[in-house]
Amino acid sequence: MGSHTLDFETTRTLLDRPIWSALSTRQTGFVVSAGACRTYQSDVAPFAAIDPAQPADTSGVVDLMSKGACALTFMQADPVSIAPGTTPTLRAQGVQMCLEQPLQDVANDDIVALWPKHVPDMLRLVAETEPGPFFARTHLLGSYWGIFEKGCLIAMAGERMRLPGFCEISAVCVDHSARGRGLARALVARVAQTILARGDMPFLHAYAGNRPAIALYHSMGFRIRRHMHIVTLARARA
């Protein structure tokens, strides 16, 4: 894997703050900035980060909210600072997992690439299954794959944060009526294979309490790298 050429310190620096790393390298085309804070364009993703070289400078957080971001979500290894003028609407613990074992080949001939024309189907499935933030232009962050049944999208997964040597697997979701058929496993494997073919290492995130998802990823060769702090901030009411 391409990330094997990265030393431990480089890996730690990139993955401990994946949002900042992505917005500072491979995904600069989606950045909205204010002061030391960066976030994705509001119709792409709600994730934000503070410059690790200026961790105490949170002034840009409220500025970004004034530009249209109703709330911003921070996800990082170290605790998240609560910016003055904001209030946390979510505090959670997550896990970051990296593929560290050989990937099992999970064949499924029903998997197809998803394109912009499929965005309405993707948004519908996300609304029903709630895998995490997915907006009208989230699909532009990477490749997405899905499975249709009787013309209806019943499962999908794709790529989100991209940073040097790494690519995140995200939006893993399966319609309630189609669960228990191994569709999530097959889709995660397809996305991971796509990432590996580029020479990058697949990684992903899950809430620490989501034991079924963590067990699935562990069975596929993903290992918990470390726990992450997840905080969503909104503007405080006057």
Side-chain angles (χ1 to χ4, degrees):
M1 300 177 191
S3 57
H4 285 179
T5 62
L6 299 175
D7 59 35
F8 173 81
E9 184 61 26
T10 300
T11 298
R12 184 189 68 79
T13 300
L14 289 170
L15 291 180
D16 279 4
R17 284 179 171 260
I19 299 168
W20 181 264
S21 298
L23 290 174
S24 301
T25 56
R26 289 184 167 181
Q27 294 180 326
T28 55
F30 299 100
V31 171
V32 179
S33 300
C37 186
R38 294 180 182 177
T39 186
Y40 288 89
Q41 294 163 352
S42 60
D43 57 354
V44 174
F47 299 108
I50 302 291
D51 185 347
Q54 307 176 65
D57 184 0
T58 61
S59 60
V61 176
V62 173
D63 290 340
L64 286 173
M65 291 178 180
S66 69
K67 293 181 180 181
C70 297
L72 297 175
T73 297
F74 297 77
M75 181 171 58
Q76 57 197 48
D78 48 316
V80 177
S81 298
I82 307 302
T86 71
T87 184
T89 59
L90 170 70
R91 292 179 185 264
Q93 290 291 311
V95 294
Q96 184 182 83
M97 305 181 72
C98 294
L99 185 65
E100 295 183 356
Q101 303 293 326
L103 181 68
Q104 299 176 353
D105 184 19
V106 184
N108 188 314
D109 294 336
D110 294 327
I111 295 176
V112 297
L114 298 178
W115 304 103
K117 67 179 182 180
H118 296 124
V119 169
D121 298 295
M122 299 164 80
L123 291 173
R124 177 198 56 78
L125 181 61
V126 166
E128 294 176 354
T129 58
E130 300 182 338
F134 189 93
F135 300 156
R137 294 175 64 238
T138 303
H139 67 284
L140 298 178
L141 295 176
S143 300
Y144 281 82
W145 303 84
I147 296 174
F148 286 83
E149 192 170 82
K150 297 180 180 179
C152 182
L153 182 66
I154 60 170
M156 76 171 192
E159 302 171 348
R160 190 167 62 186
M161 298 178 205
R162 300 179 68 176
L163 37 149
F166 301 91
C167 183
E168 181 197 27
I169 297 175
S170 183
V172 181
C173 53
V174 178
D175 186 85
H176 299 284
S177 66
R179 293 181 178 177
R181 292 160 48 182
L183 303 186
R185 179 184 294 273
L187 283 162
V188 170
R190 174 62 63 87
V191 179
Q193 288 165 348
T194 302
I195 294 169
L196 290 169
R198 294 198 302 262
D200 291 338
M201 174 183 281
F203 74 105
L204 49 80
H205 296 97
Y207 284 112
N210 191 348
R211 294 183 179 179
I214 293 173
L216 168 65
Y217 301 141
H218 192 273
S219 72
M220 297 183 69
F222 288 86
R223 299 293 179 262
I224 294 177
R225 176 183 169 269
R226 68 168 306 151
H227 285 72
M228 305 290 281
H229 296 273
I230 304 171
V231 175
T232 297
L233 299 178
R235 294 191 72 169
R237 294 184 178 180

